[in-house]
Amino acid sequence: MKQGVRMLFLLVSVALGVALTSCNDDNEQIQANPIQQQLLGKWYDGAKRITFTNDEVKSRTYSTEEKSYKYTLVGNELTVDGYSALNGTISYIDAEKFTITRVKYKDWTFERKMPNVWKDVEEDEENPPSYTNYIHYKYCGMHYYHEISHVQQDIEYAPSGTVHGWNYKYLNVFIGDAYPKIGFQFESTYKDYDYPPTTPWPAKKYNITTTTGSSVTNNPIARLNVYNKKMKFLSSKCVTGVGEIKYSGNTMVFDFTSNEKNSDYYVDIHFEGTISK
């Protein structure tokens, strides 16, 4: 009986030993693949950037969103799930560049050196400004941050004598220092015989689901004006989203976030201060 138990123990020990050895061999093979270790990090080919981690490769151009793909590397054979253009043989690699030789396409070479077109992009990715009052755009894959200089309430009356004209009320968010520009605004319309739109914007949550506004409910239009880092005007568009206004004494707290989080014209805004009238 004791001999049978000893034999069973030996058999189990051998089996475990084989399994552990196999696991260790797999780990050693992963760690021993010098190509994978060399691939880790960022690589560039003009407007294209790819970033290798241990199990993913992230790809983007400076004007698009980054996408992630699972990959495997067996020896020097690279296979990327969902991105066949990156499949191929790593035919050359050193500390500065590597080349993928592909079956259906020409060779593709990436370099460690960052092209100038990426400098502003990566600076914004890694070091977004920490303004208290800010507007943050995401436009054509780029992120732009500006400090809000002031928020101003403006009105525009229908011309005198106009029949069934409109009064306009604005909440304008200004950005820039020397020559502030309107980066975002609420616009609401009132029939000319309604009360003058001079009262402060009501403290409430504004759920903006349309880009046409309504003179009946005085639901505002949210209009976005996009400027790059150098305050060059890029585009303008009415957007949907959720805004909220709160008051604490003379201080207004204004927040807005657009619904277009995965596309162009995304914006989020935060302002705390006294509005100009």
Side-chain angles (χ1 to χ4, degrees):
M1 181 67 179
K2 292 182 179 179
Q3 185 175 1
V5 172
R6 283 198 297 269
M7 287 296 295
L8 179 61
F9 175 78
L10 288 172
L11 289 172
V12 171
S13 299
V14 170
L16 285 173
V18 171
L20 290 172
T21 301
S22 177
C23 291
N24 288 336
D25 287 346
D26 290 342
N27 289 332
E28 288 175 2
Q29 286 176 5
I30 292 173
Q31 295 174 0
N33 189 337
I35 295 178
Q36 184 174 27
Q37 294 302 311
Q38 287 178 285
L39 279 177
L40 297 179
K42 297 176 181 178
W43 300 88
Y44 305 88
D45 176 31
K48 171 69 70 175
R49 182 186 72 189
I50 58 175
T51 306
F52 282 92
T53 67
N54 285 326
D55 58 357
E56 285 187 333
V57 57
K58 301 175 182 180
S59 173
R60 71 164 289 186
T61 67
Y62 58 80
S63 61
T64 62
E65 290 295 312
E66 188 170 69
K67 295 182 179 180
S68 298
Y69 307 88
K70 293 291 184 181
Y71 78 91
T72 55
L73 184 67
V74 179
N76 63 342
E77 296 298 322
L78 177 66
T79 303
V80 182
D81 295 339
Y83 195 174
S84 60
L86 277 178
N87 294 346
T89 303
I90 308 295
S91 54
Y92 179 86
I93 187 168
D94 62 21
E96 301 299 327
K97 67 180 180 179
F98 82 93
T99 299
I100 305 173
T101 297
R102 303 174 294 176
V103 175
K104 296 182 180 180
Y105 310 98
K106 66 178 183 179
D107 291 358
W108 199 349
T109 297
F110 291 88
E111 298 184 356
R112 287 288 189 192
K113 185 178 180 181
M114 180 196 301
N116 288 333
V117 295
W118 281 98
K119 289 183 178 179
D120 286 345
V121 179
E122 297 207 355
E123 181 182 340
D124 284 344
E125 285 179 340
E126 297 173 4
N127 303 299
S130 56
Y131 303 129
T132 300
N133 296 325
Y134 65 85
I135 182 168
H136 163 221
Y137 303 114
K138 184 167 67 177
Y139 175 74
C140 289
M142 302 284 282
H143 290 262
Y144 301 114
Y145 296 85
H146 295 288
E147 186 171 21
I148 295 173
S149 59
H150 64 284
V151 172
Q152 182 171 313
Q153 179 172 310
D154 293 307
I155 57 174
E156 180 182 339
Y157 292 112
S160 179
T162 300
V163 178
H164 303 307
W166 301 98
N167 294 325
Y168 290 86
K169 179 177 180 176
Y170 302 97
L171 188 68
N172 291 322
V173 177
F174 285 87
I175 55 177
D177 297 324
Y179 302 100
K181 302 174 183 178
I182 297 175
F184 178 88
Q185 71 177 183
F186 270 177
E187 174 196 294
S188 192
T189 56
Y190 302 80
K191 291 182 179 179
D192 57 356
Y193 49 77
D194 286 348
Y195 65 92
T198 55
T199 56
W201 282 82
K204 67 174 188 176
K205 187 169 286 188
Y206 296 83
N207 187 21
I208 300 175
T209 60
T210 176
T211 57
T212 57
S214 171
S215 61
V216 177
T217 62
N218 303 129
N219 187 47
I221 296 172
R223 183 176 290 107
L224 179 66
N225 299 318
V226 184
Y227 295 87
N228 67 9
K229 283 184 66 173
K230 298 180 180 180
M231 289 298 294
K232 178 183 177 182
F233 175 75
L234 299 179
S235 186
S236 180
K237 185 183 180 182
C238 292
V239 295
T240 61
V242 177
E244 186 171 15
I245 292 176
K246 299 178 182 178
Y247 292 100
S248 177
N250 292 327
T251 299
M252 169 194 271
V253 179
F254 175 67
D255 290 284
F256 182 86
T257 302
S258 73
N259 291 333
E260 303 178 71
K261 295 183 179 180
N262 296 316
S263 61
D264 294 340
Y265 299 106
Y266 168 79
V267 64
D268 63 88
I269 298 168
H270 179 76
F271 172 80
E272 298 181 32
T274 304
I275 65 170
S276 305
K277 296 183 180 180

